[in-house]
Amino acid sequence: MGKPVKLFSMLLCLVFCATAIAGDRPYNFIIINCDDLGYGDIGCYGAEDIRTPNIDRLAQGGLRFTDFHSASSVCSPSRAALLTGRYPQRTGIYFVIDPRTESTERGILAGIPTIADVLKEKGYATACVGKWHVGHRRGYLPTERGFDSFEGIPLSNDMPMPAEIAFAEDAILHGVTREQAYHAKAGMIPWMRNDRVVEFPIDQDDLTARCTRESLRFIESHRDEPFFLYLAHPMPHTPLAASEGFRGKSGRGLYGDAVQEIDWSVGQILKTLDRLGLTERTLVVFTSDNGPRLYPGRRAGSAGPYRGGKAGPYEGGHRVPTIIYLPSMITPGRTCDELATAMDLLPTFTNLAGCQLPQNIDGHDITMLLRDDPDTATPYETLLIEGSIRRGPWKLILQPNGIAELYDCRRRPRESINLADKLPEKASELRALISDDLIRPAATAYQRTD
C-alpha cells in the first residue's frame, strides 16, 4: 500500500473515530446555575476567604471566562435568557416574577423553545432541579417547557407559597394545613415534583444537599442515554442556609458556608461523572444568574474588582464567574477573555448535539471559543443588558433618570470614570444602537454602589 493511501486510511480512521464519539455517544450537558453568586466569590476568581477546590478543578481542567455575562442583573429575566438564547425582553419576562405583586409577567412565552425543548427533539432525557422562577402558573412550569421532570422550588427561597400551585394527594405537611400553607410567611417554601407540591415547608438548610441528591439520581438513571441536567441552586440567595457540616467553615460567614456547600455539590457531580465513565463526553457549565446582592458592612457576596452588584447596571451586576468543562474538547487550564453570555449556551449546545437552531436567537454559538481557535474572537458586535450597551471596550449606561454614563471597560473595568461628557460623540453613537424594545430595565431599582 502506498504512502498516500496509508495517509488517507489514517485520516479516514480519525474521522470515523471522531464521528463515533460525537455521533454514537452524544455529548451530555449539565448547567450548574447559582443564585446571586458574585464574580469574586470563587477561589479561581480571586476569593481568599471561601474555599472552592472542586470549582477550581473545573477551571484547571476547562475554560475559565473573564468577560462572561448574564443577560440581566436580576434572576427571572436572566434565567429566561439562559434557557431560550434570547434577550429577556423577547421571552416575555422583563421583571422578577413575584406572587405578592400584580404583574403581567407569567413566564416564558408559549412557542419559544427552551434548551430542553431543543434537545428533546434529539432524544435527550431532560431534568430541572432546584430553582425555576420563570413561571409558576399552569403552562409555564418546567414539565411544560421541555423538561421530563422537575424537582425543586418554583420561585426564590424568600417568596411565599403561590396560590396557583396545587398539592399532591400524598404531600407531606410539617405543622400546617394546606390552607395555612398558602398564607404562610415568605421563606416557608414548597418542594415540588413535576407540577405538584410534595412537601411543605422544607428545611432550607438541606436545600443544596437535596438538589445534589436529585441531580445525582438523574445522572445515574440516564447514564446510558444522552441527557441534559439544569441544576439551578437556590443558594447563595437570601435567606442564606447551609447544612450542619458546612456551617461555620468558611471565612465569610453563612454566605461563604453556602458557597462552600455548592462547591461540595460540584465535587459530587464530577465524582459521579468520573465513576460512570461520562466525564469525556459531558459538557459542564458552572455560572451564576447575576451578580451578588450587596450588604455594606456585612460578610456577603463580592463582585471582585467590579463595581456594583445585583439589580444594578454596572459590571458587578451581570459579569459572572463562568467555567465550561469538557475534557474531550477543551484544552485544560485555559482562560478566555472574549465577551460571551448565557444566551450562547442554547446555540452552542444545539451545534454540539446536531440539533436545528431555533429562529430569532440573540445568543451565538461559541464552540470555536471552546476549541481554542486562535483566530476566534467574540461573536458580539454589541451586547445590550437592560439599560446599557456594550460595544468593544465601550459601555454606555442609560440611568432611569436619563443620565448617560460612558465607560471604557478594558482600560478601567471598575467603571470609576464617566467619560460621557468628554466623549459625547461616542456616547451618542452607542445610544443610537440601542433598540427601543430592549431598553426596558429590570423592575428592581438600580443599586448605586461607588
Side-chain angles (χ1 to χ4, degrees):
M1 184 180 292
K3 288 185 179 180
V5 177
K6 286 184 178 180
L7 180 59
F8 177 78
S9 299
M10 291 173 63
L11 291 173
L12 188 62
C13 181
L14 290 173
V15 171
F16 175 81
C17 291
T19 303
I21 292 173
D24 296 343
R25 300 183 67 84
Y27 291 117
N28 305 310
F29 301 100
I30 298 176
I31 297 176
I32 303 172
N33 193 23
C34 300
D35 198 341
D36 292 1
L37 181 72
Y39 190 95
D41 294 332
I42 302 298
C44 59
Y45 282 90
E48 297 180 350
D49 52 356
I50 301 177
R51 297 184 302 277
T52 56
N54 295 297
I55 300 170
D56 295 346
R57 174 191 160 191
L58 277 181
Q60 292 164 3
L63 179 62
R64 183 179 70 94
F65 287 83
T66 64
D67 201 359
F68 193 99
H69 299 260
S70 59
S72 172
S73 61
V74 289
C75 56
S76 295
S78 74
R79 291 163 186 267
L82 180 153
L83 288 167
T84 65
R86 302 177 183 220
Y87 282 115
Q89 294 88 337
R90 292 173 177 159
T91 69
I93 300 182
Y94 308 100
F95 303 150
V96 175
I97 296 175
D98 190 332
R100 296 166 294 188
T101 61
E102 289 294 328
S103 173
T104 58
E105 285 73 34
R106 298 292 182 262
I108 297 172
L109 293 171
I112 295 180
T114 66
I115 296 174
D117 285 316
V118 174
L119 293 177
K120 275 180 69 68
E121 294 181 0
K122 275 287 185 177
Y124 276 70
T126 59
C128 174
V129 176
K131 173 181 170 178
W132 180 236
H133 209 181
V134 286
H136 58 273
R137 301 184 180 188
R138 292 306 301 268
Y140 301 102
L141 291 168
T143 50
E144 297 165 302
R145 302 317 304 256
F147 290 96
D148 297 326
S149 62
F150 171 51
E151 292 274 351
I153 63 176
L155 300 158
S156 289
N157 66 326
D158 63 342
M159 293 182 176
M161 169 76 180
E164 295 87 354
I165 296 180
F167 282 87
E169 291 185 6
D170 58 348
I172 300 171
L173 299 176
H174 301 288
V176 296
T177 65
R178 297 189 180 195
E179 181 60 29
Q180 290 170 335
Y182 290 116
H183 300 284
K185 65 180 181 180
M188 295 180 66
I189 59 174
W191 186 266
M192 294 184 66
R193 178 167 300 126
N194 299 328
D195 64 347
R196 293 287 188 273
V197 174
V198 295
E199 185 177 354
F200 183 91
I202 60 171
D203 180 3
Q204 294 218 30
D205 287 348
D206 188 48
L207 258 180
T208 298
R210 189 168 191 166
C211 289
T212 304
R213 292 193 298 270
E214 295 297 338
S215 296
L216 298 182
R217 185 176 295 116
F218 173 77
I219 294 171
E220 291 267 10
S221 299
H222 299 279
R223 58 194 296 179
D224 296 324
E225 60 183 318
F227 63 79
F228 166 50
L229 168 64
Y230 175 53
L231 168 54
H233 281 295
M235 293 291 152
H237 191 284
T238 55
L240 294 166
S243 61
E244 184 176 352
F246 292 90
R247 282 180 170 265
K249 298 298 177 64
S250 78
R252 206 189 299 173
L254 188 53
Y255 182 93
D257 300 344
V259 175
Q260 290 190 177
E261 187 162 15
I262 290 173
D263 179 77
W264 163 83
S265 175
V266 171
Q268 295 301 301
I269 290 174
L270 294 180
K271 288 178 182 177
T272 300
L273 294 176
D274 287 344
R275 177 173 56 82
L276 298 177
L278 300 176
T279 299
E280 293 296 313
R281 60 189 182 91
T282 302
L283 186 152
V284 180
V285 179
F286 180 88
T287 190
S288 178
D289 65 345
N290 47 250
R293 186 172 181 179
L294 301 178
Y295 293 94
R298 290 174 56 183
R299 289 185 291 180
S302 167
Y306 300 107
R307 180 181 180 181
K310 178 179 181 177
Y314 303 107
E315 292 293 288
H318 51 80
R319 188 184 294 224
V320 292
T322 300
I323 301 164
I324 299 183
Y325 178 79
L326 181 60
S328 62
M329 177 186 296
I330 297 174
T331 303
R334 287 174 46 223
T335 296
C336 180
D337 298 324
E338 297 294 335
L339 186 147
T341 81
M343 295 184 293
D344 302 334
L345 298 181
L346 183 148
T348 302
F349 291 5
T350 297
N351 175 41
L352 293 175
C355 303
Q356 182 175 355
L357 184 68
Q359 296 181 341
N360 302 318
I361 297 297
D362 295 307
H364 300 274
D365 176 12
I366 57 171
T367 302
M368 297 312 293
L369 290 179
L370 306 185
R371 294 186 185 279
D372 194 19
D373 185 327
D375 297 323
T376 300
T378 177
Y380 286 90
E381 292 187 7
T382 59
L383 172 66
L384 291 91
I385 299 180
E386 293 160 355
S388 70
I389 183 169
R390 170 86 175 270
R391 185 178 179 87
W394 297 102
K395 179 179 177 183
L396 179 73
I397 297 172
L398 294 179
Q399 294 286 0
N401 60 8
I403 294 177
E405 300 178 19
L406 179 66
Y407 300 102
D408 184 339
C409 290
R410 292 286 169 82
R411 295 183 61 190
R412 296 183 178 88
R414 175 66 185 168
E415 297 172 290
S416 57
I417 300 178
N418 182 3
L419 301 172
D421 290 338
K422 293 183 178 180
L423 300 171
E425 292 183 358
K426 174 60 69 174
S428 297
E429 172 192 329
L430 294 178
R431 175 62 184 91
L433 297 173
I434 299 179
S435 174
D436 289 339
D437 68 327
L438 295 177
I439 198 172
R440 188 176 183 182
T444 309
Y446 285 147
Q447 292 178 334
R448 299 298 299 272
T449 305
D450 299 319

PDB file of all heavy atoms in Angstrom, residues 1-22:
ATOM      1  N   MET A   1       0.861  -1.205   0.000  1.00  0.00           N
ATOM      2  CA  MET A   1       0.000   0.000   0.000  1.00  0.00           C
ATOM      3  C   MET A   1       0.888   1.243   0.000  1.00  0.00           C
ATOM      4  O   MET A   1       1.805   1.362   0.808  1.00  0.00           O
ATOM      5  CB  MET A   1      -0.900   0.001   1.247  1.00  0.00           C
ATOM      6  CG  MET A   1      -1.901   1.155   1.284  1.00  0.00           C
ATOM      7  SD  MET A   1      -2.943   1.121   2.776  1.00  0.00           S
ATOM      8  CE  MET A   1      -3.899  -0.343   2.457  1.00  0.00           C
ATOM      9  N   GLY A   2       0.642   2.186  -0.899  1.00  0.00           N
ATOM     10  CA  GLY A   2       1.456   3.385  -0.999  1.00  0.00           C
ATOM     11  C   GLY A   2       1.213   4.345   0.146  1.00  0.00           C
ATOM     12  O   GLY A   2       0.199   4.277   0.847  1.00  0.00           O
ATOM     13  N   LYS A   3       2.149   5.303   0.329  1.00  0.00           N
ATOM     14  CA  LYS A   3       2.032   6.255   1.425  1.00  0.00           C
ATOM     15  C   LYS A   3       0.770   7.107   1.343  1.00  0.00           C
ATOM     16  O   LYS A   3       0.099   7.338   2.351  1.00  0.00           O
ATOM     17  CB  LYS A   3       3.272   7.141   1.463  1.00  0.00           C
ATOM     18  CG  LYS A   3       4.515   6.412   1.947  1.00  0.00           C
ATOM     19  CD  LYS A   3       5.686   7.379   2.072  1.00  0.00           C
ATOM     20  CE  LYS A   3       6.919   6.656   2.589  1.00  0.00           C
ATOM     21  NZ  LYS A   3       8.083   7.577   2.728  1.00  0.00           N
ATOM     22  N   PRO A   4       0.380   7.618   0.135  1.00  0.00           N
ATOM     23  CA  PRO A   4      -0.848   8.419   0.068  1.00  0.00           C
ATOM     24  C   PRO A   4      -2.072   7.632   0.520  1.00  0.00           C
ATOM     25  O   PRO A   4      -2.951   8.168   1.191  1.00  0.00           O
ATOM     26  CB  PRO A   4      -0.931   8.812  -1.414  1.00  0.00           C
ATOM     27  CG  PRO A   4       0.472   8.739  -1.899  1.00  0.00           C
ATOM     28  CD  PRO A   4       1.079   7.588  -1.174  1.00  0.00           C
ATOM     29  N   VAL A   5      -2.121   6.341   0.145  1.00  0.00           N
ATOM     30  CA  VAL A   5      -3.258   5.518   0.533  1.00  0.00           C
ATOM     31  C   VAL A   5      -3.261   5.292   2.038  1.00  0.00           C
ATOM     32  O   VAL A   5      -4.295   5.347   2.709  1.00  0.00           O
ATOM     33  CB  VAL A   5      -3.227   4.170  -0.209  1.00  0.00           C
ATOM     34  CG1 VAL A   5      -4.372   3.288   0.268  1.00  0.00           C
ATOM     35  CG2 VAL A   5      -3.304   4.389  -1.713  1.00  0.00           C
ATOM     36  N   LYS A   6      -2.047   5.056   2.617  1.00  0.00           N
ATOM     37  CA  LYS A   6      -1.964   4.861   4.055  1.00  0.00           C
ATOM     38  C   LYS A   6      -2.406   6.122   4.792  1.00  0.00           C
ATOM     39  O   LYS A   6      -3.120   6.068   5.782  1.00  0.00           O
ATOM     40  CB  LYS A   6      -0.524   4.512   4.441  1.00  0.00           C
ATOM     41  CG  LYS A   6      -0.103   3.103   4.082  1.00  0.00           C
ATOM     42  CD  LYS A   6       1.314   2.838   4.597  1.00  0.00           C
ATOM     43  CE  LYS A   6       1.739   1.412   4.285  1.00  0.00           C
ATOM     44  NZ  LYS A   6       3.108   1.135   4.786  1.00  0.00           N
ATOM     45  N   LEU A   7      -1.955   7.280   4.298  1.00  0.00           N
ATOM     46  CA  LEU A   7      -2.317   8.540   4.929  1.00  0.00           C
ATOM     47  C   LEU A   7      -3.816   8.760   4.864  1.00  0.00           C
ATOM     48  O   LEU A   7      -4.450   9.167   5.843  1.00  0.00           O
ATOM     49  CB  LEU A   7      -1.586   9.687   4.237  1.00  0.00           C
ATOM     50  CG  LEU A   7      -1.859  11.102   4.783  1.00  0.00           C
ATOM     51  CD1 LEU A   7      -1.465  11.183   6.255  1.00  0.00           C
ATOM     52  CD2 LEU A   7      -1.092  12.132   3.958  1.00  0.00           C
ATOM     53  N   PHE A   8      -4.389   8.456   3.684  1.00  0.00           N
ATOM     54  CA  PHE A   8      -5.838   8.596   3.542  1.00  0.00           C
ATOM     55  C   PHE A   8      -6.572   7.677   4.505  1.00  0.00           C
ATOM     56  O   PHE A   8      -7.565   8.058   5.138  1.00  0.00           O
ATOM     57  CB  PHE A   8      -6.243   8.291   2.105  1.00  0.00           C
ATOM     58  CG  PHE A   8      -7.729   8.342   1.880  1.00  0.00           C
ATOM     59  CD1 PHE A   8      -8.387   9.558   1.745  1.00  0.00           C
ATOM     60  CD2 PHE A   8      -8.482   7.170   1.839  1.00  0.00           C
ATOM     61  CE1 PHE A   8      -9.754   9.608   1.548  1.00  0.00           C
ATOM     62  CE2 PHE A   8      -9.846   7.223   1.643  1.00  0.00           C
ATOM     63  CZ  PHE A   8     -10.494   8.437   1.502  1.00  0.00           C
ATOM     64  N   SER A   9      -6.067   6.452   4.659  1.00  0.00           N
ATOM     65  CA  SER A   9      -6.704   5.493   5.559  1.00  0.00           C
ATOM     66  C   SER A   9      -6.652   5.966   7.002  1.00  0.00           C
ATOM     67  O   SER A   9      -7.610   5.833   7.767  1.00  0.00           O
ATOM     68  CB  SER A   9      -6.030   4.121   5.434  1.00  0.00           C
ATOM     69  OG  SER A   9      -6.158   3.622   4.123  1.00  0.00           O
ATOM     70  N   MET A  10      -5.491   6.558   7.380  1.00  0.00           N
ATOM     71  CA  MET A  10      -5.353   7.060   8.738  1.00  0.00           C
ATOM     72  C   MET A  10      -6.311   8.216   8.992  1.00  0.00           C
ATOM     73  O   MET A  10      -6.963   8.293  10.032  1.00  0.00           O
ATOM     74  CB  MET A  10      -3.911   7.506   8.977  1.00  0.00           C
ATOM     75  CG  MET A  10      -2.899   6.360   9.015  1.00  0.00           C
ATOM     76  SD  MET A  10      -1.188   6.966   9.087  1.00  0.00           S
ATOM     77  CE  MET A  10      -1.211   7.827  10.655  1.00  0.00           C
ATOM     78  N   LEU A  11      -6.402   9.132   8.027  1.00  0.00           N
ATOM     79  CA  LEU A  11      -7.322  10.260   8.174  1.00  0.00           C
ATOM     80  C   LEU A  11      -8.761   9.788   8.250  1.00  0.00           C
ATOM     81  O   LEU A  11      -9.562  10.294   9.046  1.00  0.00           O
ATOM     82  CB  LEU A  11      -7.147  11.235   7.005  1.00  0.00           C
ATOM     83  CG  LEU A  11      -5.824  12.017   6.960  1.00  0.00           C
ATOM     84  CD1 LEU A  11      -5.724  12.813   5.660  1.00  0.00           C
ATOM     85  CD2 LEU A  11      -5.720  12.949   8.159  1.00  0.00           C
ATOM     86  N   LEU A  12      -9.103   8.796   7.412  1.00  0.00           N
ATOM     87  CA  LEU A  12     -10.457   8.257   7.421  1.00  0.00           C
ATOM     88  C   LEU A  12     -10.775   7.633   8.772  1.00  0.00           C
ATOM     89  O   LEU A  12     -11.884   7.787   9.303  1.00  0.00           O
ATOM     90  CB  LEU A  12     -10.609   7.211   6.307  1.00  0.00           C
ATOM     91  CG  LEU A  12     -12.032   6.677   6.065  1.00  0.00           C
ATOM     92  CD1 LEU A  12     -12.942   7.829   5.633  1.00  0.00           C
ATOM     93  CD2 LEU A  12     -12.005   5.598   5.000  1.00  0.00           C
ATOM     94  N   CYS A  13      -9.768   6.968   9.360  1.00  0.00           N
ATOM     95  CA  CYS A  13      -9.957   6.358  10.666  1.00  0.00           C
ATOM     96  C   CYS A  13     -10.208   7.416  11.731  1.00  0.00           C
ATOM     97  O   CYS A  13     -11.077   7.275  12.584  1.00  0.00           O
ATOM     98  CB  CYS A  13      -8.745   5.516  11.036  1.00  0.00           C
ATOM     99  SG  CYS A  13      -8.880   4.687  12.631  1.00  0.00           S
ATOM    100  N   LEU A  14      -9.422   8.517  11.658  1.00  0.00           N
ATOM    101  CA  LEU A  14      -9.603   9.583  12.631  1.00  0.00           C
ATOM    102  C   LEU A  14     -10.980  10.210  12.522  1.00  0.00           C
ATOM    103  O   LEU A  14     -11.635  10.505  13.519  1.00  0.00           O
ATOM    104  CB  LEU A  14      -8.521  10.655  12.431  1.00  0.00           C
ATOM    105  CG  LEU A  14      -7.096  10.260  12.823  1.00  0.00           C
ATOM    106  CD1 LEU A  14      -6.122  11.354  12.408  1.00  0.00           C
ATOM    107  CD2 LEU A  14      -7.004  10.018  14.327  1.00  0.00           C
ATOM    108  N   VAL A  15     -11.412  10.429  11.281  1.00  0.00           N
ATOM    109  CA  VAL A  15     -12.744  10.989  11.068  1.00  0.00           C
ATOM    110  C   VAL A  15     -13.811  10.047  11.612  1.00  0.00           C
ATOM    111  O   VAL A  15     -14.772  10.457  12.270  1.00  0.00           O
ATOM    112  CB  VAL A  15     -12.987  11.272   9.570  1.00  0.00           C
ATOM    113  CG1 VAL A  15     -14.447  11.638   9.338  1.00  0.00           C
ATOM    114  CG2 VAL A  15     -12.070  12.382   9.083  1.00  0.00           C
ATOM    115  N   PHE A  16     -13.635   8.742  11.338  1.00  0.00           N
ATOM    116  CA  PHE A  16     -14.593   7.750  11.809  1.00  0.00           C
ATOM    117  C   PHE A  16     -14.663   7.739  13.333  1.00  0.00           C
ATOM    118  O   PHE A  16     -15.743   7.694  13.922  1.00  0.00           O
ATOM    119  CB  PHE A  16     -14.219   6.359  11.298  1.00  0.00           C
ATOM    120  CG  PHE A  16     -15.104   5.268  11.841  1.00  0.00           C
ATOM    121  CD1 PHE A  16     -16.349   5.018  11.286  1.00  0.00           C
ATOM    122  CD2 PHE A  16     -14.698   4.508  12.928  1.00  0.00           C
ATOM    123  CE1 PHE A  16     -17.167   4.039  11.799  1.00  0.00           C
ATOM    124  CE2 PHE A  16     -15.509   3.515  13.452  1.00  0.00           C
ATOM    125  CZ  PHE A  16     -16.750   3.276  12.882  1.00  0.00           C
ATOM    126  N   CYS A  17     -13.468   7.793  13.985  1.00  0.00           N
ATOM    127  CA  CYS A  17     -13.434   7.773  15.446  1.00  0.00           C
ATOM    128  C   CYS A  17     -14.117   9.009  16.021  1.00  0.00           C
ATOM    129  O   CYS A  17     -14.872   8.928  16.992  1.00  0.00           O
ATOM    130  CB  CYS A  17     -11.999   7.696  15.947  1.00  0.00           C
ATOM    131  SG  CYS A  17     -11.200   6.110  15.602  1.00  0.00           S
ATOM    132  N   ALA A  18     -13.824  10.171  15.416  1.00  0.00           N
ATOM    133  CA  ALA A  18     -14.439  11.402  15.906  1.00  0.00           C
ATOM    134  C   ALA A  18     -15.946  11.355  15.740  1.00  0.00           C
ATOM    135  O   ALA A  18     -16.706  11.787  16.610  1.00  0.00           O
ATOM    136  CB  ALA A  18     -13.864  12.615  15.162  1.00  0.00           C
ATOM    137  N   THR A  19     -16.380  10.807  14.615  1.00  0.00           N
ATOM    138  CA  THR A  19     -17.817  10.702  14.375  1.00  0.00           C
ATOM    139  C   THR A  19     -18.460   9.748  15.377  1.00  0.00           C
ATOM    140  O   THR A  19     -19.572   9.983  15.864  1.00  0.00           O
ATOM    141  CB  THR A  19     -18.086  10.211  12.943  1.00  0.00           C
ATOM    142  OG1 THR A  19     -17.468  11.110  12.032  1.00  0.00           O
ATOM    143  CG2 THR A  19     -19.576  10.133  12.667  1.00  0.00           C
ATOM    144  N   ALA A  20     -17.747   8.669  15.681  1.00  0.00           N
ATOM    145  CA  ALA A  20     -18.294   7.704  16.621  1.00  0.00           C
ATOM    146  C   ALA A  20     -18.469   8.318  18.001  1.00  0.00           C
ATOM    147  O   ALA A  20     -19.470   8.112  18.677  1.00  0.00           O
ATOM    148  CB  ALA A  20     -17.374   6.477  16.706  1.00  0.00           C
ATOM    149  N   ILE A  21     -17.459   9.127  18.413  1.00  0.00           N
ATOM    150  CA  ILE A  21     -17.545   9.748  19.733  1.00  0.00           C
ATOM    151  C   ILE A  21     -18.687  10.746  19.777  1.00  0.00           C
ATOM    152  O   ILE A  21     -19.485  10.775  20.700  1.00  0.00           O
ATOM    153  CB  ILE A  21     -16.214  10.448  20.071  1.00  0.00           C
ATOM    154  CG1 ILE A  21     -15.108   9.397  20.257  1.00  0.00           C
ATOM    155  CG2 ILE A  21     -16.348  11.288  21.328  1.00  0.00           C
ATOM    156  CD1 ILE A  21     -13.728   9.996  20.415  1.00  0.00           C
ATOM    157  N   ALA A  22     -18.775  11.597  18.739  1.00  0.00           N
ATOM    158  CA  ALA A  22     -19.788  12.651  18.748  1.00  0.00           C
ATOM    159  C   ALA A  22     -21.152  12.151  18.332  1.00  0.00           C
ATOM    160  O   ALA A  22     -22.168  12.664  18.774  1.00  0.00           O
ATOM    161  CB  ALA A  22     -19.353  13.792  17.826  1.00  0.00           C
TER     162      ALA A  22
END
